[in-house]
Amino acid sequence: SELLATADQGGKIKVWKVRSGQCARRFDKAHSQGITCLCFSRDSTQLCSASYDASMRMHGLKSGKMLKEMRGHSSYINHCTYTADGLRLVSSGSDGWVKVWDPKTAENLHSFRPNPAGSEIPINCCCMLPKSDHILVCDRSSNTYIMTLHGQVVKTISSGKKQGGDFLSACVSRMGNWLYCLAEDQMMYVFSIREGKLEHIVRVHEKEPIGLCQHPHRNLLASFADDCSLKLWRP
């Protein structure tokens, strides 16, 4: 992990060298609106960005230019991620759709909604399960879904809370055994993915929580909230 990418509400991206703290590349007009998510390609030569402008864009780190644009969502794109082999991109949006893309051609290969009713529930995030071709889809409800890249629901994991506990963000442990869900009630819900059962509930913030992420190489979680607080957790 030699590079770190950051983005802002003005649609700008900066790529940093972690060791030196130097800015290695800037994209001053990456998007016309705020950027919601960034992810590096497998070989770290390209950077994918998702935005409030309902588009995803591929940027070349060597050329400093936009390489491709992907459009298909009708509302904000909240999250984007590569599959483990780097051959597919997955996006999730506030329009309730999950979309699978070919990053080489920018073609939309599959589109699906995870909830059984097919309702337009905003989807907060989607992430690949380690050592699997399944994805975890977290929408603005008390449910998360483990799905195939063709849209089949393999397993539904739920907190069972009917009101005031909608999930805002989710991530999976490095080995793929645990699911961590951050909810609007300031709680983190911890599930066993294999059994689909709720194992722990932990209060993580006093103010409105925003997001949750797993360290790529260590057994460490980070949560952050609207009061500008950032907390590190060791599961």
Side-chain angles (χ1 to χ4, degrees), residues 36-37 78-79 92 122-127 136-144 165-172 179-191 204-205 208-214 221-225:
T36 57
C37 187
N78 296 319
H79 201 258
S92 57
I123 300 176
N124 304 314
C125 61
C126 54
C127 53
L136 172 78
V137 178
C138 173
D139 65 12
R140 188 66 186 254
S141 72
S142 58
N143 300 321
T144 60
D166 287 353
F167 295 143
L168 305 174
S169 183
C171 62
V172 179
L179 166 63
Y180 308 103
C181 295
L182 183 68
E184 61 184 354
D185 58 3
Q186 294 89 46
M187 299 294 187
M188 179 169 64
Y189 293 77
V190 183
F191 300 89
V204 290
H205 288 281
E208 182 179 353
I210 296 176
L212 183 70
C213 60
Q214 166 76 50
L221 288 169
S223 63
F224 47 99

Side-chain angles (χ1 to χ4, degrees), residues 16 51 124 134 137 163 195 199 227 229:
W16 308 83
S51 171
N124 304 314
H134 292 160
V137 178
Q163 293 183 340
E195 298 180 3
E199 299 288 346
D227 60 0
S229 64

Side-chain angles (χ1 to χ4, degrees), residues 22-34:
Q22 290 182 314
C23 181
R25 178 66 70 186
R26 299 169 61 107
F27 299 91
D28 289 331
K29 296 181 179 179
H31 286 273
S32 60
Q33 297 182 39

Side-chain angles (χ1 to χ4, degrees), residues 8-74:
D8 64 21
Q9 293 183 346
K12 297 179 181 180
I13 295 173
K14 291 184 179 180
V15 180
W16 308 83
K17 293 182 179 179
V18 174
R19 289 188 177 182
S20 66
Q22 290 182 314
C23 181
R25 178 66 70 186
R26 299 169 61 107
F27 299 91
D28 289 331
K29 296 181 179 179
H31 286 273
S32 60
Q33 297 182 39
I35 295 170
T36 57
C37 187
L38 297 168
C39 60
F40 286 100
S41 62
R42 190 177 182 184
D43 59 5
S44 295
T45 61
Q46 298 179 6
L47 182 67
C48 180
S49 59
S51 171
Y52 287 122
D53 65 12
S55 75
M56 283 198 308
R57 293 178 176 177
M58 302 289 299
H59 312 274
L61 296 184
K62 290 184 179 180
S63 67
K65 297 179 180 180
M66 185 187 78
L67 305 176
K68 294 180 180 66
E69 181 181 67
M70 287 155 276
R71 287 191 176 271
H73 287 279
S74 60

Side-chain angles (χ1 to χ4, degrees), residues 7 16 68 77 91 103 115 118 166 173 183:
W16 308 83
K68 294 180 180 66
I77 301 178
S91 63
N115 64 85
D166 287 353
S173 65

